[in-house]
Amino acid sequence: KVLGDIVNSGIVFSGTPSTNITPYTPGYSAFFNSTKTRTPAIFVGANDGMLHAFNSLTGAELFGYIPSWMGPKLAALTANSYNANHQAYVDSTPAVAEAQVGSSGSALDWKTVLVSGTGAGGPGVFALDVTDPTAFSASKVMWEFTKADDADMGYVTGRPRILKLRTSAPSASPATYRWFAVVASGVNNYLPYPNSTGTFSSTGNPALFLLALDKPAGTAWSSTGSDPNYYKLTVPVDTSLNAANATGLINFEATKGNFGEVSQIYMGDLHGKVWRLDFSQRGTADWSFDKLSFYKTSSTTPYPLYAAKTGAGLVQPITMAPTIVAAGTAGTIKQNYVTFGTGKYLENSDKTSIAQNSFYAILENGSTSSPPGGAVVPGRGRLQAGTVNTTAFTVNVPAFKWGRPLIDTDLTVRAGWYFDYVAAGEKSISQSSINGDKIIFGTVIPLAAGASGACAASGGGGNVYELNVDTGSGTFRRITTGIFGEQLAFETETATTYTISTPTGRRTKTTRQTKVDVTSGALSLAPPTEIEFIAGRLSWRQINNYQDLKNSP
């Protein structure tokens, strides 16, 4: 075929540049105005060795890029036996975003950047300048970063992010910022992997890489010296688990501060641990895992927010990115719910694994007290357990009050909720999404041993859950149309009406929204929903001494 098969790579769109970057950022307004009418493009990786760019209006291919480590593998595509010996090539989802890569104060400081791994195709990531996708050339290749540059770089199966980080210390004025490709090291970078012959990491530790997007072409990668162009945050590993549980870091999520800079990064690893890194209080001089870890003992030893295990104490690996949901404030403390599911679908054994996996929502309120159980929330004994009704297709979590119990038996408050998937081997491997107060995510139910076909009647498919994030309760439905990815939800129609204003100027606004629903296995319009807001004048204050205040010196 002319185009290789597309399996694990998601499609990413790039059109008009982002409007979320503050217009007073030097040079951005000029960049935006010069590129806002550019050709819109979609990008996707394929198992023919190329990252493809297509004109999204016509479907015409704009360019294809072959990462250097694909070269030795390309000959296999012409072999008569290729169908029986299919390989992964560029098999990972790219990220595309605007980034500042210069300091002249002009439009030339800005680029639209694409960063992607290659999944099981090889250990490495690459960055391309796709500001004008119709004028791509070899000079638009910004850099590549492989295991030859750092032995801890693995097979990047997760999604990179293009992020702005503050590089100066919190007390420095003015603050300085730098844009990075942030990449989880992936998998196959651990020593116990079968037949390791020096291909994998010498330490066995997973890591989060921060790769500078302003690195000049041809400059060597360096994590040392006065001006490093990459940083490596090595994730702590419990080596006692390595024999039975692979290490690895697949995905992560970032929260941002007032200027669009990274504030926190949350991530779950293949040992089931959920970590929080706090960049808001550290400059680059302190960019190490032990210093950035928000939770640590008095000896600066990092510990996780939670360590996911089954009721029998077995490790539950995490490959999906956590979804962070704002949960209001308690006094002056900002609270979040950290939600995630467990499971992995990376190795041949995962196809037939019937390991127990679960979905969790954990209260994150900034408490830094040293935990007795190795994590801030020591285990599921502090959470409210839910149950799944496979007849009514519901998830039911008994009512509870959010809080941080000091002991498992304190049932007056619970630090979150969870439920165990009931299908054998059911697992979470794709991102969840938030729609109002609902969290929506899909799961994979792999084939039973000996079954054939992509989704055989013996069990291949998955479930789609739609749960109230505050209570944990909700519904789910079964899908048999393939592996379900991240929920697609966007407004196709929005109608807004207002009531007549009261004498004080207050009125009610009702917004009617229709969204696309793909949980049935095909695109369809979901039933409209209505949301009411208080609008107009919200309060009234009478100033009796207006003239005195106006005329005062």
Side-chain angles (χ1 to χ4, degrees), residues 363 382 384 398-405 410-416 470:
L363 177 65
R382 307 282 173 96
Q384 186 78 327
F400 68 96
K401 180 180 179 181
W402 288 88
R404 281 283 183 81
D410 178 6
L411 302 181
T412 60
V413 293
R414 300 275 82 189
D470 292 297

Side-chain angles (χ1 to χ4, degrees), residues 141-509:
V141 180
M142 297 171 64
W143 45 251
E144 293 182 341
F145 185 89
T146 71
K147 65 182 181 66
D149 299 297
D150 192 294
D152 280 330
M153 172 53 69
Y155 290 68
V156 178
T157 58
R159 185 179 302 179
R161 299 287 299 277
I162 296 168
L163 298 172
K164 173 184 177 182
L165 284 91
R166 194 196 68 239
T167 55
S168 56
S171 59
S173 182
T176 58
Y177 302 92
R178 195 175 187 183
W179 292 79
F180 292 85
V182 183
V183 184
S185 60
V187 294
N188 283 7
N189 63 329
Y190 54 92
L191 288 177
Y193 191 78
N195 304 318
S196 179
T197 57
T199 301
F200 311 113
S201 168
S202 59
T203 64
N205 288 331
L208 188 70
F209 287 98
L210 314 178
L211 309 173
L213 289 170
D214 58 3
K215 185 187 83 68
T219 303
W221 288 103
S222 175
S223 60
T224 60
S226 59
D227 187 24
N229 51 34
Y230 86 94
Y231 297 83
K232 180 173 67 173
L233 309 178
T234 301
V235 180
V237 170
D238 182 350
T239 56
S240 68
L241 300 176
N242 281 0
N245 303 276
T247 64
L249 183 67
I250 311 299
N251 281 300
F252 59 92
E253 185 57 89
T255 63
K256 297 182 180 180
N258 295 331
F259 300 98
E261 82 285 8
V262 170
S263 177
Q264 321 286 337
I265 286 182
Y266 293 86
M267 53 193 181
D269 64 26
L270 291 186
H271 280 182
K273 294 179 179 178
V274 179
W275 305 92
R276 173 183 172 181
L277 301 181
D278 183 8
F279 286 83
S280 66
Q281 302 301 315
R282 303 285 182 180
T284 54
D286 293 326
W287 280 4
S288 62
F289 200 97
D290 58 340
K291 292 182 179 179
L292 287 170
S293 179
F294 188 80
Y295 301 111
K296 45 184 168 284
T297 64
S298 57
S299 62
T300 70
T301 300
Y303 58 83
L305 170 66
Y306 190 75
K309 294 183 179 180
T310 67
L314 300 177
V315 169
Q316 295 177 304
I318 302 170
T319 57
M320 73 180 294
T323 296
I324 314 303
V325 183
T329 58
T332 60
I333 300 175
K334 181 180 179 180
Q335 299 189 120
N336 291 316
Y337 302 144
V338 181
T339 68
F340 59 94
T342 69
K344 67 183 179 73
Y345 200 49
L346 301 169
E347 303 172 77
N348 285 332
S349 59
D350 294 332
K351 296 178 183 178
T352 54
S353 169
I354 58 172
Q356 176 69 70
N357 289 296
S358 312
F359 193 87
Y360 296 88
I362 310 293
L363 177 65
E364 220 283 83
N365 64 2
S367 172
T368 57
S369 58
S370 181
V376 178
V377 178
R380 55 173 54 195
R382 307 282 173 96
L383 308 176
Q384 186 78 327
T387 57
V388 178
N389 186 319
T390 56
T391 301
F393 295 97
T394 58
V395 176
N396 304 293
V397 178
F400 68 96
K401 180 180 179 181
W402 288 88
R404 281 283 183 81
L406 298 179
I407 55 176
D408 289 4
T409 54
D410 178 6
L411 302 181
T412 60
V413 293
R414 300 275 82 189
W417 53 264
Y418 78 95
F419 70 95
D420 293 330
Y421 299 139
V422 296
E426 186 176 359
K427 57 200 69 187
S428 292
I429 61 171
S430 59
Q431 180 79 343
S432 60
S433 59
I434 297 294
N435 185 8
D437 61 357
K438 300 292 195 300
I439 184 166
I440 306 170
F441 58 95
T443 62
V444 170
I445 303 174
L447 300 171
S452 61
C455 289
S458 57
N463 289 321
V464 177
Y465 294 84
E466 186 169 344
L467 310 177
N468 184 297
V469 72
D470 292 297
T471 67
S473 295
T475 61
F476 71 96
R477 51 181 152 166
R478 184 70 187 277
I479 55 172
T480 58
T481 52
I483 295 177
F484 183 75
E486 182 177 350
Q487 165 74 4
L488 173 65
F490 58 88
E491 296 177 8
T492 60
E493 175 188 11
T494 301
T496 300
T497 58
Y498 294 89
T499 60
I500 298 175
S501 298
T502 67
T504 63
R506 177 173 295 197
R507 55 184 174 167
T508 299
K509 178 177 74 172

Side-chain angles (χ1 to χ4, degrees), residues 124-147:
V125 291
F126 57 90
L128 309 178
D129 174 4
V130 294
T131 304
D132 182 357
T134 65
F136 189 81
S137 65
S139 65
K140 301 299 178 68
V141 180
M142 297 171 64
W143 45 251
E144 293 182 341
F145 185 89
T146 71
K147 65 182 181 66

